[in-house]
Amino acid sequence: MHNLTAIEIRDKFLSGEFSAEEIVTHFLNRIEKYDNKIKAFITVYKERAIEHAKALDEKKAKGEKLGKLAGIPVALKDNIHVKGETTTCASKFLSNYTAPFDATVTRLLESEDAIIIGKTNLDEFAMGSSTENSAMQSTGNPWDLDRVPGGSSGGSAAAVAGRLCPLSLGSDTGGSIRQPASLCGIYGYKPTYGRISRFGLVAFGSSLDQIGPFATSIEDIALIMEVLGKHCERDSTSIPKPNENYLENFDVDVSKLKIGVPWAFLKDLAPEAKKTFEEALNVYEKMGAEVVEVNLDILKHSIAVYYILATAEASTNLARFDGVRYGHRSPRAQTLREVYDYSKEDGFGPEVKRRILLGTYVLSSGYQDAYYKKAQKVRTLMIEQYKKAFETCDVIAMPVTPFTAFKKGEIKDPVQMYLEDIYTISCNLAGIPGISIPDGFSSEGLPLGLQLFAPQKEDVRLISIANEYQKATDHYKKIPEFVK
Ligand code: GLN
């Protein structure tokens, strides 16, 4: 069952081949068998999921209309709310925090009869690229358990790659869906900023954050986007556009397609990543697409700009964790000042503290013009350079990461870790959609990914262009040996 796509599982549920309870039990058993090694899940909703499955079986027996995601188990990154369940953000600060309401995505998934199977591990507050910054556990990459799954949505990526569930959600502020998807050999999608509601997602960098899915096939990405890509009144940045039909719009004339590549920006690409990337472009060229060069030299500033803006936004977003309103309150504290200081000191890990400090610094009165405002200006220039590039091409292609999954503990310097995001970050800065597509394996057998970007709001078209690649290749079908 776990070798099937989400759509195939749903169809077998609809045809009566599997009951919802059988589906959920199958995946819960797999979690039990493999997750003590992978450590993708922070919480498994055993009873809740079985209860929902039974209710769904009854609904079906009564002949009621079933949703688009009927019977599909879905895992959520543990920074997304499910009412009455914990949302830890993999932080000590929130280890006992219970969500008082459902995130919009949770509500939409359940309204289409998906079954939420649990919450997955992440870098604390989604800050990191390896999931090693989790205060709970370190997740392994199903292709090699000694390696990281990427991050920050490493748990959600490892869960799908390990076939512990067919679909999962992550959040992407600077690459946290696409990078782990690539390192785990599956699809990961970051929609246009505002296409999926952020209501009920714990905020990190609010002008950059987007929720998005992980899946083993492009059809599954399309299906879940049909459900989640909706206007939401509770998110003031939600795009006021009706939801779209992805699966019915899967027709692209590749022979008319122009793919832009910023070769100058990619000049330092390592040989193996370069070769795989060129082979992926070749797949499109063989179908008649034309590869053109685009100028995106400004992207060399993306890491600097991102780590100013994202930390600035994080420092204000995380100010709410003061020991009074949410989560941890230090028992050492005697005075109000100590409540703030000690609660943060005990509750936050080193990376979160580093970002709050950096963010507070770039927003401080003496430095705001030099750092924060300047970074905003460069962000605007990036948006303009992307717009210009899209005048000459339909999509822009890049690798997702410079390297394959690294060993746990290998990257100790935080700045080196920040460089992991060199190819993913600009997509968030520009608010455009980006997809990570499995495009092959290194000589060590580790997955690599192709990344495609489209102009804002062209989510449907981007996914259908990615579908053309899937039709011509089969990298996405490979499953890690250990979980077969
Ligand atoms: N790795 C990036 C960071 O640490 C991106 C994180 C994310 O997208 N949530 O900020």
Side-chain angles (χ1 to χ4, degrees):
M1 192 191 298
H2 51 270
N3 292 333
L4 303 174
T5 66
I7 293 184
E8 288 165 347
I9 290 174
R10 178 202 60 187
D11 290 348
K12 287 187 191 287
F13 167 65
L14 296 178
S15 70
E17 199 171 317
F18 305 142
S19 72
E21 196 180 347
E22 277 165 353
I23 297 169
V24 164
T25 309
H26 178 81
F27 285 100
L28 286 172
N29 287 342
R30 284 185 63 80
I31 294 173
E32 193 152 324
K33 183 161 173 206
Y34 294 110
D35 206 45
N36 57 346
K37 296 214 175 64
I38 300 177
K39 298 199 166 73
F41 283 86
I42 290 180
T43 320
V44 181
Y45 292 167
K46 204 168 170 184
E47 276 134 48
R48 188 184 191 276
I50 290 179
E51 222 172 83
H52 282 212
K54 282 186 178 156
L56 186 60
D57 284 329
E58 271 168 38
K59 187 173 172 184
K60 180 162 180 275
K62 282 194 212 134
E64 286 175 34
K65 188 171 180 291
L66 300 170
K68 281 189 173 181
L69 302 174
I72 304 175
V74 183
L76 305 184
K77 185 176 182 177
D78 203 10
N79 58 355
I80 298 173
H81 286 346
V82 175
K83 188 178 173 178
E85 305 287 342
T86 53
T87 302
T88 69
C89 293
S91 177
K92 270 200 244 161
F93 210 109
L94 293 180
S95 53
N96 290 320
Y97 175 74
T98 302
F101 57 88
D102 273 332
T104 296
V105 291
T106 305
R107 192 173 48 74
L108 290 172
L109 289 173
E110 292 193 332
S111 71
E112 291 292 341
D113 293 324
I115 295 171
I116 297 174
I117 196 158
K119 293 290 220 51
T120 57
N121 198 24
L122 61 150
D123 285 297
E124 186 176 5
F125 285 102
M127 297 174 185
S129 307
S130 67
T131 314
E132 291 166 296
N133 292 336
S134 166
M136 309 301 176
Q137 61 204 22
S138 156
T139 301
N141 188 317
W143 292 94
D144 176 350
L145 292 173
D146 294 332
R147 291 176 189 269
V148 303
S152 64
S153 315
S156 288
V160 170
R163 271 55 175 184
L164 307 183
C165 56
L167 279 174
S168 66
L169 296 187
S171 65
D172 191 313
T173 307
S176 279
I177 293 174
R178 289 158 288 146
Q179 185 256 19
S182 170
L183 301 194
C184 290
I186 56 172
Y187 286 92
Y189 186 54
K190 185 206 91 76
T192 300
Y193 181 75
R195 182 67 288 197
I196 293 185
S197 170
R198 290 182 294 116
F199 180 75
L201 166 72
V202 178
F204 163 12
S206 307
S207 77
L208 305 155
D209 297 339
Q210 253 308 277
I211 293 177
F214 291 94
T216 57
S217 80
I218 194 75
E219 290 90 348
D220 288 353
I221 296 277
L223 174 73
I224 196 166
M225 281 306 296
E226 289 188 5
V227 173
L228 302 181
K230 273 202 176 122
H231 176 63
C232 170
E233 285 181 354
R234 288 169 158 160
D235 173 355
S236 61
T237 58
S238 170
I239 298 175
K241 185 180 175 189
N243 55 317
E244 295 152 287
N245 214 318
Y246 286 72
L247 287 160
E248 276 175 21
N249 290 307
F250 256 0
D251 50 340
V252 181
D253 183 355
V254 187
S255 68
K256 296 209 176 80
L257 200 68
K258 284 203 173 135
I259 303 179
V261 179
W263 286 114
F265 175 61
L266 299 176
K267 65 180 185 315
D268 297 326
L269 202 58
E272 204 161 37
K274 184 159 186 226
K275 185 170 159 269
T276 311
F277 177 59
E278 285 172 347
E279 281 166 8
L281 292 176
N282 223 287
V283 170
Y284 279 107
E285 282 175 317
K286 278 204 194 116
M287 293 188 281
E290 188 188 342
V291 174
V292 297
E293 175 150 16
V294 289
N295 174 13
L296 286 172
D297 288 350
I298 193 148
L299 299 194
K300 62 176 182 271
H301 300 300
S302 25
I303 301 244
V305 168
Y306 171 85
Y307 279 94
I308 291 171
L309 299 180
T311 57
E313 293 185 21
S315 74
T316 60
N317 275 327
L318 270 61
R320 77 191 67 187
F321 301 111
D322 55 7
V324 178
R325 288 172 290 178
Y326 302 92
H328 179 70
R329 178 178 300 170
S330 173
R332 291 190 288 148
Q334 306 276 329
T335 64
L336 180 63
R337 185 66 203 235
E338 285 175 1
V339 170
Y340 298 155
D341 289 353
Y342 293 159
S343 302
K344 288 178 196 233
E345 188 173 316
D346 307 343
F348 290 141
E351 184 59 27
V352 175
K353 287 179 186 158
R354 188 161 26 243
R355 300 215 185 184
I356 293 174
L357 286 174
L358 184 57
T360 307
Y361 178 80
V362 299
L363 287 175
S364 62
S365 61
Y367 294 100
Q368 199 178 82
D369 287 352
Y371 295 111
Y372 181 74
K373 287 200 182 139
K374 197 161 193 182
Q376 288 289 28
K377 286 182 184 159
V378 182
R379 181 179 190 177
T380 304
L381 294 177
M382 276 179 192
I383 294 170
E384 281 165 8
Q385 209 169 78
Y386 262 115
K387 274 199 188 133
K388 203 143 180 239
F390 281 124
E391 282 168 13
T392 60
C393 62
D394 301 278
V395 286
I396 289 170
M398 267 184 234
V400 184
T401 55
F403 308 105
T404 53
F406 45 94
K407 287 248 164 70
K408 286 186 180 179
E410 188 180 319
I411 301 188
K412 293 194 179 69
D413 173 11
V415 177
Q416 199 194 332
M417 189 71 90
Y418 298 170
L419 293 174
E420 260 298 298
D421 307 320
I422 178 97
Y423 302 133
T424 51
I425 272 177
S426 62
C427 169
N428 304 71
L429 289 167
I432 56 178
I435 187 158
S436 173
I437 303 170
D439 75 345
F441 293 83
S442 70
S443 50
E444 290 175 298
L446 295 168
L448 284 153
L450 166 70
Q451 190 173 212
L452 297 179
F453 299 144
Q456 283 187 357
K457 300 190 201 164
E458 291 198 10
D459 299 74
V460 174
R461 187 159 157 80
L462 177 58
I463 287 177
S464 47
I465 291 170
N467 178 47
E468 295 300 320
Y469 183 84
Q470 177 174 295
K471 281 201 262 177
T473 56
D474 63 358
H475 310 295
Y476 72 102
K477 286 193 177 140
K478 302 214 171 76
I479 297 180
E481 203 55 46
F482 149 73
V483 290
K484 269 188 180 153

